[in-house]
Amino acid sequence: MIESISVHKVGNKTLDNTLILSEYPVLLEEQDLPLIESYFTKHFKYDEIFSFSHPSDINENDVFQTVSSIFENPETAHEMSEKLAEKLFDCSEHPKIKPGEFYLVYFNKIEYRNEIVQAIGLFKTEHREQFLKVYPKSETYTIEVHEGIATKKLDKGCLIFNMDKENGYHAVLVDKVSGGAEAHFWADDFLQLSQVENAYFSTENTMTMYRNFVEEQLPQDFEVTRIDQADLLNRSLDFFKQNETFNQDTFNSTVLRDDDLIDSYENYKTQFENDFEIEIADEFGINSNAVKRQNRFYKSIIKLDKDFHIYVHGDRKKITREEDSRGKYYKIYFEEEK
C-alpha cells in the first residue's frame, strides 16, 4: 500500500535545465490509489533481481544509504527524496539525457515472494503523450487536448524491497534505453545496481550466449548452412523448454553432440564471460520466464533474397539445400499442407 509520494523536477545539468524540489509530498486521493499503485508496480520482471553495489564498499553507495535511512525512519521519505533528486541531477550530465519528473514512492507494505515487506520505488518519467478529455457542457460536449503520462509504459523505475540488506537489498528494474553513452546513467551511475546471479540470470545469459555463438561464431569456425544453424537453435530451445535443470555436460551431449563443436563453444563461453565480466554456472535451475523471453529472439528463419522466408521448426532431415544450373534451392519434405 502506498503511504507517500514525493515528486521533483530533474533537468539536464549540462543544458542549464533546473532542479525544482517540491516542499511537500503529493496529496493523494484514496480513489486514485489503485491505478497509481498499479502503474508503479506492474512494469517489472520480478524474476530478474538486482542489488546495490559499489566498487569498494556498499556503504559508499549513496542511494543504498538513503534507502536504508527511509526504511528505518519512513517519516524522512520526503526529505530523503530531495537528496536523491539532487544526486540524479548530478548524474544527468550527458546532453542526450532528457529532463523529467523524479518520484520517490514509499510502500508501507507490499507482497514480495510470499512475504509482506516495506518497499521504496524510485521512478523517472521522461515522455508525455497527448490525450483527449471529453465532458458535457451546456447541453453539448466539450473536447480538450491534454498532455500527461501514459500508464501503459514506464520510462525508468526501480522497486527496492526491504529484504537482504546485508547483500544490497532486492530490487527490480525498468530502464528504457536506446543506446549511446547516456543509455545506462539510471542503473549504473545513479543507482549502481548489479544483477543477482540467480536462476533467471543464468538461464537468460546462457541462452543469449548460445544464440550468439550459433549466429556469429559458428560460421567462422565451421562450414555450416543456415539449416544447420536453425537446427542447433531449435535443439537448444527444446532443451530449455523440456528440462527443469541445466547441466553443461548434458547440454553438450544432447544439443551440440560433436567434440569439435563442443570445444568451439567452450572457447566462446570463456571469451563471453571475460568480455562481460560475468561467470555463468555449469549447472542451475532453468527459469521458465527467462526461457519465454528468450523464445522471442530464437528465430530460425532462412531468408531467401527478397522473395521467400523459410521458418524451420522441426526435423532437420526434412529440408536440404541444393544447387543446379538455375541456382540454389531448398528441398522440403512434408506430409500435410495446411
Side-chain angles (χ1 to χ4, degrees), residues 132-160:
L132 299 179
K133 182 177 181 180
V134 182
Y135 58 93
K137 183 178 181 181
S138 301
E139 299 181 355
T140 184
Y141 279 85
T142 295
I143 300 177
E144 295 180 353
V145 178
H146 290 259
E147 192 176 71
I149 299 166
T151 59
K152 292 184 178 180
K153 58 184 178 180
L154 180 66
D155 293 322
K156 300 184 184 300
C158 179
L159 200 54
I160 306 133

Side-chain angles (χ1 to χ4, degrees), residues 293-321:
R293 184 170 187 272
Q294 284 293 317
N295 189 38
R296 295 179 294 173
F297 305 108
Y298 268 60
K299 302 297 184 182
S300 302
I301 304 173
I302 301 173
K303 298 181 180 180
L304 307 177
D305 302 327
K306 296 181 179 179
D307 299 318
F308 303 101
H309 289 176
I310 300 176
Y311 291 77
V312 183
H313 299 295
D315 191 349
R316 164 71 174 82
K317 298 177 182 178
K318 291 184 178 180
I319 178 171
T320 60
R321 184 179 185 274

Side-chain angles (χ1 to χ4, degrees), residues 172-232:
V172 288
L173 179 71
V174 169
D175 191 6
K176 303 295 184 184
V177 297
S178 56
E182 82 287 0
H184 297 285
F185 81 97
W186 175 256
D188 295 343
D189 300 336
F190 174 55
L191 296 169
Q192 292 183 278
L193 291 174
S194 297
Q195 190 172 353
V196 174
E197 297 183 11
N198 57 5
Y200 186 100
F201 172 91
S202 297
T203 304
E204 182 171 58
N205 278 283
T206 299
M207 294 187 73
T208 298
M209 175 180 61
Y210 179 79
R211 176 168 50 85
N212 291 345
F213 166 74
V214 171
E215 294 177 350
E216 299 171 8
Q217 187 63 41
L218 193 65
Q220 298 181 34
D221 293 349
F222 304 94
E223 290 187 8
V224 292
T225 65
R226 291 290 295 145
I227 304 174
D228 297 324
Q229 289 176 286
D231 183 49
L232 284 168

Side-chain angles (χ1 to χ4, degrees), residues 4-25:
S4 68
I5 301 177
S6 297
V7 184
H8 310 287
K9 180 72 173 183
V10 178
N12 187 304
K13 195 170 185 178
T14 59
L15 299 179
D16 295 326
N17 290 150
T18 55
L19 170 65
I20 303 175
L21 301 177
S22 57
E23 293 188 17
Y24 306 102

Side-chain angles (χ1 to χ4, degrees), residues 24 51 67 73 78 80 91 96 101-102 120 145 158 161 181 205-206 252 276 280 283 295 314 318-319:
Y24 306 102
S51 61
V67 164
N73 189 0
H78 185 76
M80 295 296 103
C91 293
K96 289 187 178 180
E101 294 80 23
F102 169 71
I120 293 170
V145 178
C158 179
F161 303 97
N205 278 283
T206 299
N252 290 348
F276 291 94
I280 302 176
E283 190 166 352
N295 189 38
K318 291 184 178 180
I319 178 171

